[in-house]
Amino acid sequence: MPRTEALIFRPALEVSFEEFGILIPIADDRTSRVLASLREAGVDTSRLVQVVEEPLITREDLLRVHEPSYVEDLFSSGLERRLLEAYELVDERGGYVRYAPERASRPLSELLTRVLLGATCTYLACLRALRAGHAFSCAGGYHHAHAGFGHGFCVINDVVIALRRLMAEGRIRRAWVVDVDVHKGDGTAALTKDDPSIATLSIHMAAGWPLSLPSTLPDGRPHPSHIPSTVEIPVARGEEARYHELLGEGLTRLEEHLPHPDLAVVVWGADPYEKDELPSAAELSLSLEALFERDLLLWEFMRAREVPAAFLMAGGYGPHAWEPFARFLRWVFQGEGNVNC
Ligand SMILES: [Zn+2]
């Protein structure tokens, strides 16, 4: 099968935090465990996966989404400060947290290339979904990045970057972003609040980061993390039994707000998983089967309306983070999803 027929995109160099001295519990082997699980299930992944070696996302693409001064920082000597900020590696007194530069084997600045590769996978997954009906990216979903700063481990907002580029290229006119990561998609909501061509849904834990952030920025302006998505679904602790009902209702509201989109991007976080290890993801806890049911609900909703969908493996931390992704992808590629692959 030629490379262009791939349905899963993975960057040649993934963000491996340890190499940069960053102590965030993202298992570097998440993608390889997912693909190994598919192979064990008899799926020929060599026909499915395209390894992305060159970033195709450019400065011009970033400028459709981010403030010019922020983009300038990313491509100049301001990069390191911006990366420390986005990965939250400096405390209020200027000391390092979760960061041990003496343990780094690579300069921090190389992280930008990795992030651009991840954003490229997002863009390619969107392109492929437009032709095939669906596609998956093993990276991306940097939904916390705002116009003028990054936070929550997100430097640039690949989701909005990909959608605006596809619009500039005349490939799509209207899109949905369906964000099922456990953390509110704050950057995406803020970036698209005045954009009638993109409608967003975020279902997330009702308490905790980023909703716990102050209501104003240090300069006194309102903090953009509190801007609601088009459809905002906070799920309180103990409300997990209603998760699927709330998601289903939310999808209906999204469709009422913006019917017949050309594309949906799913920020496909695995961090609501009960075995996730990120402390800030603990407010919402779903079983593997509940996450599978969530993914089926999304899949069927898109399929019934013939909305092409690009799924981005977003948050998911610790040694079990691969399991929800693998569970659903096995279902898709073993044929139950009625996919010809
Ligand atoms: Zn998350």
Side-chain angles (χ1 to χ4, degrees):
M1 187 178 279
R3 282 162 60 92
T4 51
E5 294 301 312
L7 281 168
I8 301 177
F9 299 84
R10 70 176 296 187
L13 290 169
E14 292 180 46
V15 175
S16 162
F17 288 109
E18 232 176 278
E19 287 176 76
F20 298 98
I22 299 174
L23 314 173
I24 295 172
I26 290 187
D28 296 337
D29 64 351
R30 200 174 78 164
T31 297
S32 50
R33 302 277 308 255
V34 168
L35 297 177
S37 169
L38 281 171
R39 284 192 294 274
E40 274 166 33
V43 178
D44 180 1
T45 55
S46 66
R47 297 167 59 216
L48 288 177
V49 178
Q50 180 176 333
V51 177
V52 177
E53 297 184 17
E54 290 291 326
L56 301 176
I57 294 298
T58 64
R59 196 169 169 148
E60 186 189 355
D61 295 325
L62 268 56
L63 284 167
R64 288 191 200 98
V65 175
H66 295 283
E67 290 171 6
S69 60
Y70 182 54
V71 175
E72 177 62 30
D73 279 350
L74 295 181
F75 288 92
S76 69
S77 59
L79 173 62
E80 183 156 327
R81 178 173 60 85
R82 292 304 202 163
L83 290 173
L84 291 172
E85 179 181 67
Y87 292 102
E88 304 184 0
L89 306 176
V90 180
D91 64 21
E92 287 133 24
R93 291 173 311 229
Y96 289 147
V97 281
R98 295 190 301 218
Y99 183 45
E102 71 281 1
R103 283 161 65 174
S105 57
R106 294 177 177 280
L108 198 60
S109 56
E110 272 187 28
L111 256 178
L112 183 65
T113 307
R114 313 264 177 130
V115 167
L116 291 171
L117 272 178
T120 301
C121 289
T122 299
Y123 170 71
L124 291 175
C126 288
L127 270 186
R128 183 69 182 119
L130 287 172
R131 292 200 303 275
H134 61 274
F136 301 86
S137 165
C138 298
Y142 312 135
H143 59 163
H144 299 308
H146 286 278
F149 67 96
H151 69 169
F153 317 154
C154 300
V155 183
I156 57 172
N157 197 302
D158 61 313
V159 178
V160 186
I161 288 169
L163 291 177
R164 294 243 168 98
R165 173 157 163 181
L166 292 165
M167 287 174 189
E169 291 170 341
R171 297 178 196 272
I172 63 168
R173 285 183 304 166
R174 289 135 49 97
W176 290 342
V177 178
V178 177
D179 189 331
V180 293
D181 189 277
V182 82
H183 302 96
K184 170 182 157 68
D186 59 324
T188 314
L191 287 166
T192 60
K193 72 177 168 54
D194 298 319
D195 183 346
S197 65
I198 300 175
T200 59
L201 176 154
S202 179
I203 182 165
H204 48 257
M205 51 187 190
W209 199 91
L211 292 160
S212 55
L213 289 166
S215 58
T216 53
L217 291 166
D219 63 11
R221 286 181 298 161
H223 200 302
S225 286
H226 297 283
I227 293 171
S229 307
T230 313
V231 177
E232 179 95 349
I233 312 172
V235 182
R237 188 188 271 262
E239 218 182 2
E240 282 90 345
R242 292 193 62 219
Y243 183 91
H244 302 95
E245 177 195 338
L246 293 170
L247 177 58
E249 286 170 6
L251 288 168
T252 302
R253 281 161 53 204
L254 185 71
E255 184 178 31
E256 283 165 5
H257 184 88
L258 193 156
H260 311 300
D262 303 306
L263 178 68
V265 173
V266 178
V267 180
W268 192 31
D271 49 6
Y273 189 25
E274 61 190 1
K275 292 185 180 173
D276 195 90
E277 289 201 350
L278 191 73
S280 83
E283 281 287 317
L284 183 62
S285 181
L286 297 176
S287 68
L288 191 60
E289 279 312 299
L291 286 170
F292 180 59
E293 200 185 318
R294 172 197 76 174
D295 298 341
L296 278 183
L297 195 161
L298 294 173
W299 179 267
E300 298 297 346
F301 191 86
M302 308 298 178
R303 289 228 133 185
R305 289 153 184 80
E306 298 182 346
V307 176
F311 290 74
L312 316 178
M313 291 186 208
Y317 308 90
H320 298 282
W322 62 276
E323 293 169 0
F325 299 127
R327 175 77 180 86
F328 187 63
L329 287 172
R330 282 201 308 269
W331 178 83
V332 170
F333 291 113
Q334 280 181 314
E336 285 101 317
N338 300 316
V339 173
N340 298 316
C341 58

